[in-house]
Amino acid sequence: MTLLAVERMKLFSTRSPWWCMFLALALPIGFTALIAAVSDGMSVSTTQFGYQFGLMVTLVLAALAITTEYRFGTIRATFQAVPNRTAVLLAKTAVVAVLALIIGEIGAFGSWAISTVLQPSSDLAITTAEQWREIAGVGPVFAFSAILAVGVGMLVRQTAGAVTILLLWSLMVESLIALVPEVGQDIQRWMPFVMADHFLKGGGNMAVDMPLGPWGALAYFAAVTVGVWLIGLAVTHRRDA
């Protein structure tokens, strides 16, 4: 519990997490409000169109949580005070993942709530398991994405490099892979963020072509993120702080 408290204090001791939290909530909710204001009708799915804006900012927040420590050298003092690096990194990751979970849930339900206010005539009642998964599932996706970002941060150690990898991979690489002749689309179906999107939108256009169901897709996404984190942990143990 002491390590968790320490990591929480370190995370919120700078301005960047506060700005990231603000943007991670303001962007998806604001984007949804804009859609609701100009749209003739909304659905539960439509209320979550902006979740990826919040996801990108959350990836940056999680990466900063570890790369900032390497930048200013505070990670060395932490490892000297607590030689068990695994415990330190587990605590840091847990704090960041819980924060990401909260951001995801507030952003998702906030987007849905603003839509119900701006579109009172639309049927936005959450009545099916798929609709609950599409909204409440945003939090777990954010949490596992934060774990991935911390893992990449442990591997790269530099903010610019870690953020570039995370954003380019999620925004461009997974889409461009589909352009590879013959095998591109088959490979794309197994990309982690494609799987995460499938979990949230399992009833969408790609549902028939995906190799796993929505919950299997979440399990796969979780396995990939934890796998990257474990690789980052192993590398951290082998390298000097």
Side-chain angles (χ1 to χ4, degrees):
M1 294 300 294
T2 302
L3 277 176
L4 290 173
V6 170
E7 292 301 330
R8 176 180 56 81
M9 288 186 289
K10 284 197 296 183
L11 178 64
F12 292 109
S13 63
T14 60
R15 294 180 181 178
S16 56
W18 295 100
W19 279 109
C20 286
M21 285 189 294
F22 171 76
L23 290 173
L25 294 174
L27 288 175
I29 294 175
F31 181 75
T32 303
L34 180 62
I35 293 179
V38 301
S39 176
D40 293 331
M42 295 280 287
S43 65
V44 173
S45 298
T46 309
T47 65
Q48 301 306 307
F49 273 0
Y51 90 93
Q52 288 189 336
F53 292 114
L55 179 61
M56 297 304 105
V57 179
T58 302
L59 287 171
V60 174
L61 186 157
L64 285 172
I66 182 69
T67 57
T68 301
E69 289 223 50
Y70 281 107
R71 177 186 176 187
F72 294 105
T74 55
I75 196 73
R76 296 189 184 93
T78 301
F79 287 158
Q80 288 175 352
V82 185
N84 187 343
R85 296 186 177 186
T86 299
V88 171
L89 295 173
L90 276 174
K92 180 181 294 294
T93 305
V95 170
V96 175
V98 170
L99 178 61
L101 175 68
I102 295 171
I103 291 172
E105 294 298 339
I106 294 175
F109 281 98
S111 297
W112 171 80
I114 196 69
S115 299
T116 62
V117 172
L118 296 176
Q119 287 278 341
S121 60
S122 298
D123 181 13
L124 297 177
I126 308 173
T127 56
T128 67
E130 289 76 15
Q131 290 172 333
W132 276 107
R133 187 185 70 238
E134 194 163 6
I135 297 179
V138 173
V141 169
F142 275 38
F144 286 119
S145 298
I147 295 172
L148 173 68
V150 174
V152 173
M154 286 191 287
L155 289 169
V156 179
R157 296 190 174 191
Q158 294 181 347
T159 299
V163 170
T164 300
I165 291 171
L166 290 165
L167 296 186
L168 284 181
W169 182 271
S170 57
L171 293 174
M172 293 184 59
V173 173
E174 292 195 355
S175 298
L176 294 176
I177 284 177
L179 301 179
V180 177
E182 298 184 5
V183 298
Q185 291 187 349
D186 291 331
I187 296 174
Q188 186 191 40
R189 295 185 185 105
W190 291 98
M191 292 293 99
F193 287 100
V194 171
M195 283 288 189
D197 194 61
H198 175 54
F199 164 68
L200 295 174
K201 304 174 183 178
N205 295 331
M206 293 187 64
V208 177
D209 299 324
M210 293 299 288
L212 300 174
W215 289 102
L218 178 64
Y220 176 87
F221 180 62
V224 171
T225 61
V226 173
V228 172
W229 187 90
L230 290 173
I231 294 172
L233 177 65
V235 171
T236 301
H237 277 288
R238 294 176 63 89
R239 293 192 299 195
D240 293 333

